[in-house]
Amino acid sequence: MILYKQYIILQNVVLNIDIQNEIFYNSKYGGLMKQGFTLAEVLITLGIIGIVAAMTLPTLVAKHRKKVLHTQFLKAYSDIQNAAKRFQADLGISVYEYSQKEQGVYSSETLKSYIVYFQGNKSNSNVVTSDLNDSFEKAIGYRPKNLSGNNVISQPCDRSIVSEEVGGRFFSMDDPVSRYDNPPNGPKLCVDINGRKGPNRYGYDWFVFTFTKDGGVKPFIGKNSQNLGQDLPNPETACSYSYANATYTCAYFAITDTSPENPKEKYWTDFLN
């Protein structure tokens, strides 16, 4: 509405200028027709171009940002899978089996052993993440938020150090498999696919995966983000802008690029705001 009003004002101004020019030409040249574009026509055209650019540029920028995130997500998922395969090839056991031997309530040793199979480990935080809300801020300088951009009470992967690989991506893990009685998968792995660039929200650039018994990696869609257990029959409930906690099941939809709200729409271009 504001742009439209500005356009009308501009149009009236240049039309008045053009009328004055017409009077000048008529009086000086006896009403002979001018060739080419009038000042009004040029300025109105430029004004229209500016208005169209102002209206479409934010959409183009948002579309490009989503495309970049989609590419980074696919790259991260591929790297996670390849690292798990190399881990098992070198050690003879899967990440799941290695986590079964983890002592205590944290998965820091499992993460340290796993992260070396990426391009390179840049650093490990001195802070072990926990249920405390400020533990991530102390570890990496910010706290991941949910899909709608709100703070959450607890994080899906808050039982390890946070590792940063040379590409800038962050990795953290949740409880080791050893804490549970033969869970179907584990431990959970949370990944920030673009580091500190933002928006640092689950479902945009933070995603939750889990290791399988046979050495694979899949999106985590467990019934509770804090535990390892059976999968949700309706994972879309935890990948929603109305979900108050960490939106931890969005990787399930991001992989297939399917909107959790409408299977006929795409996750990256239609679902994400």
Side-chain angles (χ1 to χ4, degrees):
M1 180 60 71
I2 294 176
L3 291 174
Y4 178 74
K5 289 181 178 179
Q6 291 176 339
Y7 166 71
I8 296 299
I9 294 173
L10 173 64
Q11 186 182 46
N12 290 333
V13 170
V14 295
L15 283 176
N16 287 333
I17 294 175
D18 199 44
I19 291 172
Q20 296 298 322
N21 287 338
E22 287 288 342
I23 294 173
F24 172 77
Y25 273 95
N26 287 338
S27 61
K28 187 172 183 178
Y29 301 107
L32 295 176
M33 296 296 294
K34 305 187 302 297
Q35 300 297 319
F37 296 105
T38 66
L39 175 62
E41 291 170 336
V42 172
L43 292 180
I44 289 175
T45 300
L46 292 176
I48 292 174
I49 292 174
I51 291 172
V52 171
M55 294 174 63
T56 58
L57 188 58
T59 301
L60 294 176
V61 170
K63 184 176 180 180
H64 174 71
R65 178 175 62 92
K66 294 176 184 179
K67 184 176 181 179
V68 170
L69 288 173
H70 189 187
T71 301
Q72 291 173 326
F73 171 82
L74 294 176
K75 178 67 165 57
Y77 185 47
S78 175
D79 290 346
I80 291 168
Q81 290 177 307
N82 289 334
K85 292 177 182 177
R86 293 174 58 195
F87 180 101
Q88 186 167 7
D90 281 359
L91 302 183
I93 59 175
S94 66
V95 176
Y96 176 98
E97 293 170 317
Y98 190 96
S99 182
Q100 284 182 315
K101 300 179 181 180
E102 184 90 64
Q103 300 296 317
V105 298
Y106 295 102
S107 295
S108 295
E109 292 305 317
T110 302
L111 181 57
K112 288 179 182 178
S113 300
Y114 173 70
I115 199 68
V116 300
Y117 292 95
F118 286 84
Q119 183 178 357
N121 185 19
K122 181 178 179 181
S123 64
N124 293 318
S125 68
N126 294 322
V127 177
V128 177
T129 57
S130 66
D131 290 332
L132 298 176
N133 286 333
D134 62 349
S135 65
F136 268 86
E137 291 178 302
K138 291 179 178 178
I140 59 177
Y142 69 89
R143 185 192 314 171
K145 300 180 179 180
N146 66 7
L147 197 61
S148 59
N150 297 321
N151 288 323
V152 296
I153 298 176
S154 60
Q155 303 290 335
C157 301
D158 53 7
R159 285 290 187 273
S160 75
I161 58 171
V162 179
S163 290
E164 181 182 7
E165 46 97 58
V166 293
R169 297 177 298 194
F170 291 115
F171 300 81
S172 63
M173 285 184 174
D174 204 29
D175 308 77
V177 174
S178 58
R179 291 196 66 194
Y180 299 89
D181 183 18
N182 193 32
N185 47 64
K188 295 200 295 294
L189 175 73
C190 292
V191 184
D192 182 347
I193 62 175
N194 65 351
R196 292 183 172 87
K197 292 182 180 179
N200 299 323
R201 291 153 65 175
Y202 288 101
Y204 280 87
D205 55 345
W206 270 89
F207 293 91
V208 187
F209 300 91
T210 187
F211 297 93
T212 60
K213 290 183 177 182
D214 60 0
V217 183
K218 71 173 189 176
F220 180 73
I221 55 172
K223 292 183 178 180
N224 189 317
S225 67
Q226 303 306 309
N227 299 302
L228 295 173
Q230 298 300 317
D231 290 347
L232 275 170
N234 49 345
E236 65 274 6
T237 59
C239 184
S240 168
Y241 283 95
S242 62
Y243 194 72
N245 298 320
T247 36
Y248 63 92
T249 63
C250 290
Y252 177 81
F253 300 96
I255 286 177
T256 59
D257 196 15
T258 304
S259 169
E261 296 179 342
N262 184 349
K264 294 182 179 180
E265 295 182 342
K266 295 184 178 297
Y267 179 88
W268 293 97
T269 57
D270 300 322
F271 173 68
L272 291 183
N273 291 336

